[in-house]
């Protein structure tokens, strides 16, 4: 796939270094996505699941998961010679929410990863970004054996605004994960272009 941004986005200007959040529920694939696309060895803050998570962390569909992110994942990917994305994966459990405000500081947008087996786990991330006015998209991570739903069904189930993109991905695959990041960038640029148009009309 060609990863050039579309001509329709040409009027929107992005900084050359961009901070992106990768969010979602516990075990949804955030660490996997960051590791799949990062051109450098990703920084991970994973710890062995402890007794604190017993009865709290829902392992449905990810029963083999033995570690969890306790602070963040960090990776980097370049698009061409003049655009670098810095990826920050957020922790998925409620008890680590206190780090979200720090991670979100200076972010340009976010990807909310979703697992259709546990779609409700997306709501805290979606609510957070809506409250803070941070542009985001939803990427459905297609786990093996998980039931498939249409993008419209996912959007309706999450009660998303019509302009929030929803896409499918395989967080294990580099190209698929790249597509997700491109979709987010195009969404952010579209929003910035619309914002400038509104300012021009009002001036």
């Amino acid at each position: 796939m060609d990863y050039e941004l579309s001509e329709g986005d040409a009027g929107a200007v992005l900084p050359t270094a961009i901070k992106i959040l990768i969010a979602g529920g516990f075990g949804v694939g955030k660490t996997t996505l960051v590791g799949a696309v990062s051109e450098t060895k990703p920084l991970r803050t994973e710890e062995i699941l402890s007794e604190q998570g017993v009865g709290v962390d829902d392992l449905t569909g990810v029963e083999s998961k033995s570690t969890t992110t306790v602070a963040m994942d960090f990776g980097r990917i370049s698009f061409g010679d003049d655009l670098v994305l810095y990826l920050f994966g957020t922790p998925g459990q409620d008890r680590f929410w206190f780090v979200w405000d720090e991670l979100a500081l200076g972010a340009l947008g976010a990807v909310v990863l979703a697992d259709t087996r546990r779609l409700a786990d997306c709501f805290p991330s979606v609510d957070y970004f809506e409250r803070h006015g941070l542009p985001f998209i939803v990427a459905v991570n297609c786990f093996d054996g998980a039931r498939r739903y249409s993008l419209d069904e996912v959007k309706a189930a999450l009660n998303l605004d019509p302009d929030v993109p929803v896409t499918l991905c395989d967080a294990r695959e580099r190209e698929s994960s790249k597509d997700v990041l491109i979709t987010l960038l195009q969404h952010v640029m579209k929003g910035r272009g619309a914002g400038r148009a509104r300012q021009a009309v009002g001036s």
Side-chain angles (χ1 to χ4, degrees), residues 32-44:
T32 300
L33 187 146
V34 172
V37 299
S38 182
E39 61 197 16
T40 61
K41 183 177 180 180
L43 171 65
R44 294 172 174 168

Side-chain angles (χ1 to χ4, degrees), residues 146-202:
R147 182 177 175 181
R148 299 293 191 260
Y149 295 89
S150 71
L151 299 183
D152 287 340
E153 287 176 314
V154 173
K155 179 172 284 193
L158 292 175
N159 195 29
L160 298 174
D161 288 339
D163 64 335
V164 175
V166 179
T167 188
L168 301 176
C169 76
D170 184 338
R172 300 168 298 183
E173 300 293 333
R174 179 177 174 83
E175 296 304 311
S176 180
S177 297
K178 274 187 174 182
D179 288 345
V180 169
L181 298 176
I182 289 293
T183 299
L184 174 61
L185 288 178
Q186 291 175 335
H187 177 55
V188 170
M189 293 172 74
K190 181 180 178 181
R192 287 193 161 199
R196 279 197 300 276
R198 286 193 294 270
Q199 289 177 353
V201 171

Side-chain angles (χ1 to χ4, degrees), residues 51-128:
E51 292 182 359
Q52 281 185 292
V54 176
V56 177
D57 297 330
D58 183 4
L59 293 174
T60 302
V62 288
E63 290 82 1
S64 62
K65 185 174 177 61
S66 60
T67 61
T68 185
T69 299
V70 296
M72 67 175 186
D73 300 307
F74 174 77
R76 185 190 73 193
I77 180 173
S78 301
F79 289 93
D81 297 326
D82 55 2
L83 182 61
V84 179
L85 303 188
Y86 294 100
L87 310 176
F88 290 78
T90 65
Q93 298 98 317
D94 292 348
R95 61 183 179 276
F96 298 124
W97 271 101
F98 64 91
V99 303
W100 274 60
D101 288 341
E102 292 293 333
L103 291 178
L105 188 64
L108 195 71
V111 173
V112 177
L113 276 178
D115 179 352
T116 57
R117 299 167 300 182
R118 298 174 294 138
L119 202 56
D121 291 356
C122 289
F123 283 117
S125 299
V126 170
D127 289 345
Y128 181 91

